[in-house]
Amino acid sequence: MSDPQAIEQLFSLTATQAEVGRANQILQPTLGEHSVLLLDGDRHQRQRHLLMPPFHGERMRAYGDVIRQITNQVTAEWQAGRKIVARSFMQEISLQVIMQTVFGLDQGDRYTNLKQNLQAFLEVTATRLGFVVALFPFLQRDYGAWSPGARFNRMKQGIDDRLYAEIRSRRQTEEGDRTDILHLLMQARDEAGQPMTDGELRDELITLLLAGHETTATALSWALYWIHQLPEVKARLLAELASLGSDADGTAIARLPYLGAICSETLRIYPITMITPPRILTLPMAVMGYEFEPNAMLAACIYQTHRRPDLYPEPLQFKPERFLERSFSPYEYLPFGGGNRRCIGAAFALYEMKLALATILTQFDLQLLEPRPVKTIRRGVTLAPQGGIRMQVVGRRSSFAAPDQLTTVPAPVGRSD
Ligand code: HEM
């Protein structure tokens, strides 16, 4: 559905009127049966209440410095002339950020091993074959050591072993003052006073790690693309960033209107997922003259809604100003879905995008190495830029001031990643 009136109806459905976890069962082999994405009803609500707080308000803002530090570390070796694939670096930033948020881990063997396992798993599931294998259990059968199914299972097992090892170690040495999500989940008790089992913890951890990093990495890569594709957008953004001064904190950066509008427009023009997970009706429903029976699967088409000319004139043009000129309802602009399933990490993803972009743009002068408009390809369940956005570091800014005073160190010879 791409009519806001229909989407409003869809997003207003309660847990007794429609199920989403049931429609997401296809992700069960990867995420596990206890994942919040696969639950419905009371269990779903309970898990959401547990998972939401760290991604909002003060708790989220406490991660501002971490996001900026990680961005600095990941880009530390960018030198004038170096050619980069933006997506690889954005993926590294978002993976490190989510691992820190979820586990409070940022170094050591346990961290490095889990990170490597996750990266390898994501690279495989991003390919067409790997994606299909991840979705269909019959393809996960072991048809010999090098069959896709055996490979998928080995990788998944590698991640599970490390997640369970982390959970075991934390059960033994848990400290009271931790703020990471694993700590919160381990403290939580259900109505009967019971804590979450290791299996439940594993499923929520993998869900957050996978849902929280591929998406943000793709959004950041697209944002870099549009900023460098359109000189007037870049100039206006740099002027806004310069107006803040060098000692601005994360909250001040996150409030910048034009930076916010760029992030919104990025997620409008190429939303990371084309449709929301479908809602399976449990009761009959009429939508704009159409009658649907129980078990009908209805989804909002984010992509088409975002390209409606009645809402977004010249929809194929990247125009951040549209978000400064008017506001859009949750049924007109829905990159994070909506209703009782709206993305848990929406505020966090936007915060991370803004801080990472500001950190990169105030330090580096970059240029696109894409001679033609970049197309989208499917990467797992997301829509991503083909080729990952090739760019070149023109130079490191020696100081950050208004754009006409910007100085950069010129590029010597090129280098490619
Ligand atoms: C730009 C980044 C992101 C985009 C575009 C995005 C998009 C979405 C969308 C479209 C949904 C489905 C909502 C619906 O059914 O209506 C969703 C759900 C979800 N997202 Fe995100 N997401 C992003 C980042 C994150 C991050 C950073 C996290 C966690 C740390 C996260 C965790 C989740 C979870 C757990 C759900 C399932 C919610 C539920 O079923 O109740 N996402 N996301």
Side-chain angles (χ1 to χ4, degrees):
M1 297 175 168
S2 57
D3 189 302
Q5 198 188 324
I7 294 172
E8 178 168 10
Q9 267 185 277
L10 201 61
F11 284 173
S12 306
L13 289 170
T14 62
T16 50
Q17 294 170 314
E19 293 172 338
V20 180
R22 183 146 69 97
N24 283 338
Q25 287 305 317
I26 198 158
L27 300 170
Q28 198 263 339
T30 305
L31 300 183
E33 61 183 309
H34 308 293
S35 160
V36 65
L37 263 158
L38 273 67
L39 298 177
D40 279 306
D42 291 347
R43 281 188 73 203
H44 171 251
Q45 279 311 307
R46 197 190 72 166
Q47 288 307 91
R48 268 183 81 91
H49 283 307
L50 277 177
L51 296 173
M52 296 265 303
F55 295 112
H56 285 87
E58 276 309 305
R59 296 269 282 288
M60 174 188 85
R61 279 188 284 281
Y63 285 106
D65 288 344
V66 172
I67 296 169
R68 293 206 282 176
Q69 262 165 29
I70 289 175
T71 308
N72 279 331
Q73 278 160 20
V74 171
T75 56
E77 290 184 5
W78 285 5
Q79 301 293 340
R82 182 167 177 184
K83 292 179 181 163
I84 56 169
V85 175
R87 191 166 206 297
S88 317
F89 288 91
M90 299 308 110
Q91 182 125 359
E92 182 66 26
I93 292 172
S94 65
L95 182 55
Q96 289 196 26
V97 168
I98 195 73
M99 285 189 69
Q100 171 87 39
T101 327
V102 170
F103 296 114
L105 275 184
D106 63 357
Q107 53 198 337
D109 287 349
R110 290 205 322 251
Y111 165 78
T112 313
N113 292 337
L114 177 58
K115 188 154 94 66
Q116 282 169 353
N117 278 124
L118 282 168
Q119 275 166 329
F121 184 75
L122 277 167
E123 281 317 311
V124 168
T125 50
T127 63
R128 258 169 218 266
L129 177 63
F131 180 58
V132 172
V133 172
L135 293 185
F136 298 105
F138 73 91
L139 291 176
Q140 291 155 21
R141 283 189 209 130
D142 190 341
Y143 295 109
W146 295 106
S147 63
R151 209 162 155 232
F152 174 85
N153 286 325
R154 267 199 310 275
M155 292 187 135
K156 201 175 108 186
Q157 192 60 50
I159 295 177
D160 285 356
D161 290 347
R162 300 202 188 282
L163 288 176
Y164 283 121
E166 190 60 38
I167 293 168
R168 271 196 308 275
S169 135
R170 292 282 287 270
R171 286 216 194 275
Q172 282 156 12
T173 59
E174 192 59 346
E175 296 141 23
D177 57 350
R178 297 190 71 114
T179 54
D180 54 77
I181 292 171
L182 177 54
H183 173 77
L184 296 173
L185 295 178
M186 289 176 75
Q187 301 303 308
R189 297 289 177 269
D190 65 14
E191 309 76 40
Q194 291 303 309
M196 286 171 77
T197 64
D198 286 4
E200 286 173 323
L201 286 170
R202 176 265 171 213
D203 292 355
E204 281 330 348
L205 294 176
I206 192 83
T207 301
L208 293 175
L209 289 170
L210 295 185
H213 114 271
E214 180 85 1
T215 45
T216 314
T218 298
L220 271 169
S221 313
W222 276 128
L224 282 176
Y225 171 74
W226 289 113
I227 291 167
H228 293 87
Q229 171 82 339
L230 301 168
E232 63 283 9
V233 170
K234 183 175 170 188
R236 187 164 171 190
L237 175 61
L238 289 180
E240 187 179 68
L241 289 171
S243 72
L244 264 187
S246 54
D247 55 351
D249 65 2
T251 309
I253 294 171
R255 283 203 194 112
L256 291 174
Y258 195 64
L259 176 61
I262 286 179
C263 295
S264 300
E265 180 70 344
T266 299
L267 292 169
R268 178 196 70 81
I269 199 160
Y270 286 134
I272 310 300
T273 59
M274 291 240 267
I275 59 167
T276 63
R279 277 57 175 157
I280 304 183
L281 298 184
T282 51
L283 299 168
M285 178 179 169
V287 184
M288 299 182 71
Y290 292 89
E291 300 288 337
F292 295 100
E293 295 299 318
N295 285 326
M297 293 173 89
L298 308 182
C301 184
I302 307 173
Y303 187 87
Q304 274 192 347
T305 313
H306 285 185
R307 284 167 180 240
R308 289 177 66 105
D310 57 336
L311 296 174
Y312 304 100
E314 297 185 280
L316 303 186
Q317 303 296 314
F318 185 86
K319 289 182 169 181
E321 292 74 19
R322 46 176 120 242
F323 286 91
L324 301 175
E325 286 158 6
R326 62 159 285 197
S327 54
F328 297 89
S329 80
Y331 320 114
E332 296 169 336
Y333 181 67
L334 46 142
F336 297 103
N340 61 0
R341 307 296 300 215
R342 188 171 188 269
C343 175
I344 284 174
F348 190 85
L350 286 171
Y351 192 58
E352 182 177 342
M353 280 177 77
K354 291 174 188 174
L355 295 201
L357 287 172
T359 308
I360 292 171
L361 283 150
T362 48
Q363 291 190 73
F364 296 99
D365 189 8
L366 304 173
Q367 68 181 17
L368 271 184
L369 293 181
E370 299 286 358
R372 280 177 289 281
V374 171
K375 295 192 174 142
T376 50
I377 47 154
R378 219 203 40 230
R379 228 186 109 86
V381 288
T382 64
L383 269 191
Q386 191 168 32
I389 310 287
R390 288 175 292 265
M391 303 189 81
Q392 184 166 30
V393 182
V394 178
R396 194 179 256 278
R397 299 190 198 288
S398 53
S399 64
F400 192 69
D404 53 347
Q405 298 158 27
L406 288 174
T407 49
T408 49
V409 185
V413 277
R415 178 179 145 192
S416 185
D417 287 313

